[in-house]
Amino acid sequence: VFRKLSPLAAVRRLRIVSLYRRDYNPTTSFRDADLAGLASGTVEGQEDFLRSQAVDIATFLVTFAREQRIPPAHGASGGIALMGWSLGCLHTHAVVAYLDVLPSKILSDLGKYLHTMVCHDVGAVHIGIPNPPVYNIDLWFEPDVEKRFNLFYEWVTAYFPHKNVTSGNIDDLEFNKFSNQTHSMHELSSEELAELTSAKTFGASDTLLLYTQLDVFKAMARRAIFDTALAEKFLPNLRVRYMCGGASPGVLVWALHELRKCLVDPKPIYGPDAEKARDVKFNFQTGGNHFVALDHYIATINL
């Protein structure tokens, strides 16, 4: 999805490293033991899984930075900006939420490099915010995995005809109807599509992750950006940025507006002790959909 960005990065003094989520080729598949916490359906088990992902990703970042001699961060230059896209936002959120469980040497070195965490098109439930009633969630409960994947593929690659993505008015967003614009990835061959997608993973570990309890996601978002004690102790200068495509599914645009409201008063959603704890900003793009990095890659690299 991000491959068109790589040739443009060097002249902008950027280096793009795409870290695939496990279970997607060519990464290592999850073992049953790895997924036991998710499959348990318990808060404790699901949190354990997300913590383990945070440790794995943080360890990779530090190891890569050491071996590749990445210059330490100086403000927002040098170092590492960690970006999550779509469901991958859960993993970037997990890294920031669970800094306190990292081994001391990993945490110390991570603090030298990681200056920004970015989430692009994060789902509402994945930041602990319930979906609005206007959003039709039937596709997520289609029992046939292959059919559910095809419905999801049509939904996620579509362009949604919003009236206004920056107003913050839910009535300005389209949640269920696609525009007539050609869907993203329509030009890919079946072989190319197979490199980017997996109905098998979608119906297995991804489904377990999607059905994680809302309270687990809410606690993770609270720890990431609404816990002053954690933010003051762990990477206090970390910048947190949220982005959404101008024609992405309405529920993803709406999620950022709701999260932005929470920065003013997080307590109704994130609890009585919640306070804005980090440098958080939002970018509501007026163009592009969920696959803006593929369809509008020059505009994306310039963001």
Side-chain angles (χ1 to χ4, degrees):
V1 172
F2 298 98
R3 59 189 173 184
K4 290 184 178 180
L5 301 180
S6 296
L8 305 174
V11 296
R12 293 166 173 80
R13 299 180 61 81
L14 298 173
R15 182 177 185 180
I16 297 174
V17 179
S18 296
L19 181 61
Y20 280 52
R21 290 189 291 113
R22 286 181 62 182
D23 264 3
Y24 282 93
N25 287 331
T27 63
T28 306
S29 297
F30 283 119
R31 300 166 299 174
D32 289 344
D34 297 324
L35 297 174
L38 272 186
S40 72
T42 66
V43 168
E44 294 78 9
Q46 291 167 345
E47 287 182 338
D48 282 346
F49 174 82
L50 290 166
R51 276 193 292 265
S52 71
Q53 294 300 286
V55 173
D56 284 353
I57 294 170
T59 301
F60 169 82
L61 294 177
V62 168
T63 303
F64 184 86
R66 291 172 184 160
E67 293 180 352
Q68 297 296 314
R69 299 182 179 180
I70 303 296
H74 182 70
S77 63
I80 295 171
L82 176 64
M83 178 178 176
W85 171 68
S86 195
L87 193 59
C89 293
L90 284 178
H91 300 268
T92 52
H93 249 206
V95 171
V96 179
Y98 298 119
L99 291 169
D100 58 333
V101 306
L102 299 180
S104 58
K105 181 57 176 171
I106 297 296
L107 176 63
S108 174
D109 283 358
L110 188 66
K112 299 174 185 176
Y113 298 106
L114 185 62
H115 58 75
T116 305
M117 186 275 281
V118 182
C119 285
H120 184 273
D121 273 1
V122 63
V125 295
H126 300 143
I127 48 177
I129 298 174
N131 286 319
V134 69
Y135 172 45
N136 185 343
I137 60 174
D138 288 353
L139 81 85
W140 302 107
F141 295 96
E142 166 56 49
D144 183 271
V145 172
E146 195 71 34
K147 186 175 180 180
R148 185 166 78 246
F149 174 77
N150 290 333
L151 289 170
F152 165 75
Y153 180 76
E154 287 299 304
W155 174 80
V156 80
T157 59
Y159 281 76
F160 287 76
H162 306 304
K163 296 176 184 176
N164 189 325
V165 295
T166 61
S167 70
N169 185 343
I170 192 171
D171 293 331
D172 287 337
L173 301 176
E174 178 53 61
F175 286 79
N176 304 306
K177 295 180 181 178
F178 312 154
S179 75
N180 293 326
Q181 187 167 347
T182 303
H183 288 214
S184 299
M185 304 208 297
H186 71 281
E187 78 285 1
L188 299 184
S189 67
S190 57
E191 292 78 14
E192 290 173 319
L193 191 60
E195 291 180 0
L196 299 176
T197 64
S198 170
K200 179 181 177 182
T201 299
F202 176 81
S205 55
D206 274 5
T207 294
L208 290 174
L209 194 56
L210 285 165
Y211 292 163
T212 296
Q213 294 185 52
L214 184 70
D215 283 347
V216 172
F217 295 142
K218 185 181 298 185
M220 190 165 70
R222 181 171 59 244
R223 288 174 63 90
I225 60 175
F226 294 115
D227 190 313
T228 53
L230 287 176
E232 288 170 1
K233 187 174 182 181
F234 302 102
L235 277 60
N237 297 320
L238 182 72
R239 308 185 319 160
V240 178
R241 302 292 184 260
Y242 295 93
M243 304 163 56
C244 64
S248 290
V251 68
L252 305 183
V253 181
W254 177 83
L256 295 200
H257 283 295
E258 292 301 297
L259 184 59
R260 187 166 63 173
K261 292 176 186 176
C262 289
L263 292 183
V264 178
D265 182 14
K267 291 176 173 55
I269 295 291
Y270 295 104
D273 297 327
E275 296 181 29
K276 180 188 173 190
R278 294 195 181 275
D279 172 9
V280 181
K281 290 186 172 65
F282 297 84
N283 184 333
F284 295 87
Q285 299 159 262
T286 55
N289 66 347
H290 192 58
F291 290 83
V292 64
L294 190 64
D295 295 348
H296 302 278
Y297 51 94
I298 294 177
T300 300
I301 198 72
N302 290 327
L303 285 174

Short mmCIF file of all heavy atoms in Angstrom, two decimals, residues 4 22-23 55 91 98 108 123 137 148 164 172 177-178 190 220 224 260 286 297 301:
data_model
loop_
_atom_site.label_atom_id
_atom_site.label_comp_id
_atom_site.label_asym_id
_atom_site.label_seq_id
_atom_site.Cartn_x
_atom_site.Cartn_y
_atom_site.Cartn_z
N LYS A 4 4.49 3.08 -3.27
CA LYS A 4 4.71 4.22 -4.16
C LYS A 4 5.39 5.39 -3.45
O LYS A 4 5.91 6.30 -4.09
CB LYS A 4 3.38 4.69 -4.77
CG LYS A 4 2.78 3.71 -5.77
CD LYS A 4 1.51 4.28 -6.39
CE LYS A 4 0.93 3.33 -7.42
NZ LYS A 4 -0.31 3.89 -8.04
N ARG A 22 1.97 -9.36 11.89
CA ARG A 22 2.14 -10.80 11.83
C ARG A 22 0.88 -11.47 11.28
O ARG A 22 -0.22 -10.98 11.41
CB ARG A 22 2.48 -11.36 13.22
CG ARG A 22 3.90 -11.04 13.64
CD ARG A 22 4.23 -11.62 14.99
NE ARG A 22 4.16 -13.09 15.02
CZ ARG A 22 4.36 -13.81 16.11
NH1 ARG A 22 4.65 -13.21 17.27
NH2 ARG A 22 4.28 -15.13 16.06
N ASP A 23 1.09 -12.61 10.65
CA ASP A 23 0.08 -13.41 9.95
C ASP A 23 -0.09 -12.98 8.50
O ASP A 23 -0.78 -13.65 7.74
CB ASP A 23 -1.28 -13.40 10.65
CG ASP A 23 -1.46 -14.62 11.55
OD1 ASP A 23 -0.52 -15.43 11.66
OD2 ASP A 23 -2.54 -14.77 12.15
N VAL A 55 5.71 -4.71 23.02
CA VAL A 55 7.11 -5.07 23.30
C VAL A 55 7.81 -5.51 22.02
O VAL A 55 8.95 -5.11 21.76
CB VAL A 55 7.18 -6.18 24.37
CG1 VAL A 55 8.61 -6.68 24.53
CG2 VAL A 55 6.64 -5.67 25.70
N HIS A 91 -1.72 -1.22 17.03
CA HIS A 91 -0.36 -1.60 17.43
C HIS A 91 0.48 -0.38 17.78
O HIS A 91 1.27 -0.42 18.73
CB HIS A 91 0.28 -2.41 16.31
CG HIS A 91 -0.48 -3.67 15.99
ND1 HIS A 91 -0.21 -4.86 16.60
CD2 HIS A 91 -1.51 -3.90 15.15
CE1 HIS A 91 -1.04 -5.79 16.14
NE2 HIS A 91 -1.84 -5.22 15.27
N TYR A 98 1.79 1.14 26.45
CA TYR A 98 2.47 0.19 27.33
C TYR A 98 3.97 0.43 27.41
O TYR A 98 4.76 -0.50 27.55
CB TYR A 98 2.17 -1.24 26.87
CG TYR A 98 0.70 -1.59 26.94
CD1 TYR A 98 -0.01 -1.95 25.79
CD2 TYR A 98 0.01 -1.52 28.14
CE1 TYR A 98 -1.36 -2.25 25.85
CE2 TYR A 98 -1.34 -1.82 28.22
CZ TYR A 98 -2.02 -2.19 27.07
OH TYR A 98 -3.36 -2.48 27.14
N SER A 108 14.86 2.95 27.29
CA SER A 108 15.88 4.01 27.28
C SER A 108 16.28 4.37 25.86
O SER A 108 16.35 5.55 25.49
CB SER A 108 17.10 3.56 28.08
OG SER A 108 18.14 4.51 27.98
N GLY A 123 -10.23 3.32 13.66
CA GLY A 123 -11.65 3.11 13.90
C GLY A 123 -12.10 3.64 15.25
O GLY A 123 -11.32 3.67 16.21
N ILE A 137 -23.36 -1.79 10.72
CA ILE A 137 -22.25 -2.70 11.02
C ILE A 137 -22.55 -4.14 10.60
O ILE A 137 -21.84 -5.07 11.01
CB ILE A 137 -21.91 -2.66 12.52
CG1 ILE A 137 -23.11 -3.09 13.37
CG2 ILE A 137 -21.42 -1.28 12.93
CD1 ILE A 137 -22.79 -3.22 14.86
N ARG A 148 -17.75 -12.12 4.02
CA ARG A 148 -17.46 -10.97 4.89
C ARG A 148 -16.24 -10.21 4.41
O ARG A 148 -16.21 -8.98 4.40
CB ARG A 148 -17.26 -11.43 6.34
CG ARG A 148 -17.09 -10.27 7.32
CD ARG A 148 -17.22 -10.72 8.76
NE ARG A 148 -16.04 -11.39 9.27
CZ ARG A 148 -16.00 -12.66 9.63
NH1 ARG A 148 -17.07 -13.44 9.53
NH2 ARG A 148 -14.88 -13.20 10.09
N ASN A 164 -18.85 17.51 4.14
CA ASN A 164 -17.80 18.32 4.75
C ASN A 164 -17.11 17.48 5.83
O ASN A 164 -17.75 17.09 6.80
CB ASN A 164 -18.41 19.58 5.36
CG ASN A 164 -17.36 20.58 5.84
OD1 ASN A 164 -16.29 20.19 6.31
ND2 ASN A 164 -17.66 21.86 5.72
N ASP A 172 -22.86 15.77 8.12
CA ASP A 172 -22.05 16.09 6.95
C ASP A 172 -21.25 14.89 6.46
O ASP A 172 -20.50 15.00 5.48
CB ASP A 172 -21.09 17.24 7.25
CG ASP A 172 -21.81 18.58 7.33
OD1 ASP A 172 -22.91 18.70 6.75
OD2 ASP A 172 -21.28 19.50 7.98
N LYS A 177 -23.06 4.75 2.16
CA LYS A 177 -23.17 4.76 0.71
C LYS A 177 -21.85 5.18 0.06
O LYS A 177 -21.22 6.13 0.50
CB LYS A 177 -24.29 5.71 0.27
CG LYS A 177 -25.68 5.26 0.73
CD LYS A 177 -26.75 6.25 0.27
CE LYS A 177 -28.14 5.82 0.75
NZ LYS A 177 -29.17 6.80 0.35
N PHE A 178 -21.49 4.48 -1.01
CA PHE A 178 -20.27 4.80 -1.75
C PHE A 178 -20.57 5.83 -2.84
O PHE A 178 -21.69 5.90 -3.35
CB PHE A 178 -19.68 3.56 -2.41
CG PHE A 178 -19.55 2.35 -1.52
CD1 PHE A 178 -19.56 1.08 -2.07
CD2 PHE A 178 -19.41 2.48 -0.15
CE1 PHE A 178 -19.45 -0.05 -1.28
CE2 PHE A 178 -19.29 1.36 0.66
CZ PHE A 178 -19.32 0.10 0.10
N SER A 190 -4.78 -10.16 -9.81
CA SER A 190 -5.10 -11.07 -8.70
C SER A 190 -3.84 -11.44 -7.93
O SER A 190 -3.88 -11.61 -6.70
CB SER A 190 -5.78 -12.33 -9.23
OG SER A 190 -4.97 -12.98 -10.20
N MET A 220 -6.58 1.34 26.63
CA MET A 220 -5.33 1.55 25.90
C MET A 220 -5.22 2.99 25.42
O MET A 220 -4.16 3.62 25.52
CB MET A 220 -5.25 0.58 24.72
CG MET A 220 -3.88 0.56 24.05
SD MET A 220 -3.66 -0.87 22.95
CE MET A 220 -4.78 -0.44 21.62
N ALA A 224 -2.51 5.86 26.53
CA ALA A 224 -1.67 6.47 25.50
C ALA A 224 -1.69 7.99 25.55
O ALA A 224 -0.64 8.63 25.43
CB ALA A 224 -2.09 5.99 24.11
N ARG A 260 -11.26 14.37 19.21
CA ARG A 260 -10.87 15.77 19.41
C ARG A 260 -11.73 16.43 20.49
O ARG A 260 -11.23 17.22 21.29
CB ARG A 260 -10.97 16.55 18.09
CG ARG A 260 -10.41 17.97 18.18
CD ARG A 260 -10.20 18.60 16.83
NE ARG A 260 -11.45 18.76 16.09
CZ ARG A 260 -11.54 19.41 14.94
NH1 ARG A 260 -10.46 19.94 14.38
NH2 ARG A 260 -12.70 19.52 14.31
N THR A 286 -8.71 16.67 2.91
CA THR A 286 -9.89 16.93 2.08
C THR A 286 -9.91 16.06 0.83
O THR A 286 -10.91 16.03 0.11
CB THR A 286 -9.94 18.41 1.67
OG1 THR A 286 -8.71 18.76 1.03
CG2 THR A 286 -10.15 19.29 2.90
N TYR A 297 -0.27 9.43 -3.76
CA TYR A 297 0.97 9.23 -3.03
C TYR A 297 1.84 10.48 -2.96
O TYR A 297 2.55 10.68 -1.96
CB TYR A 297 1.75 8.05 -3.62
CG TYR A 297 1.96 8.10 -5.11
CD1 TYR A 297 3.11 8.65 -5.65
CD2 TYR A 297 1.01 7.56 -5.98
CE1 TYR A 297 3.31 8.69 -7.02
CE2 TYR A 297 1.19 7.60 -7.35
CZ TYR A 297 2.35 8.17 -7.86
OH TYR A 297 2.53 8.22 -9.23
N ILE A 301 3.10 12.00 0.66
CA ILE A 301 4.50 12.14 1.09
C ILE A 301 4.80 13.58 1.51
O ILE A 301 5.72 13.83 2.29
CB ILE A 301 5.46 11.71 -0.04
CG1 ILE A 301 6.87 11.43 0.52
CG2 ILE A 301 5.54 12.75 -1.13
CD1 ILE A 301 6.99 10.17 1.32
#
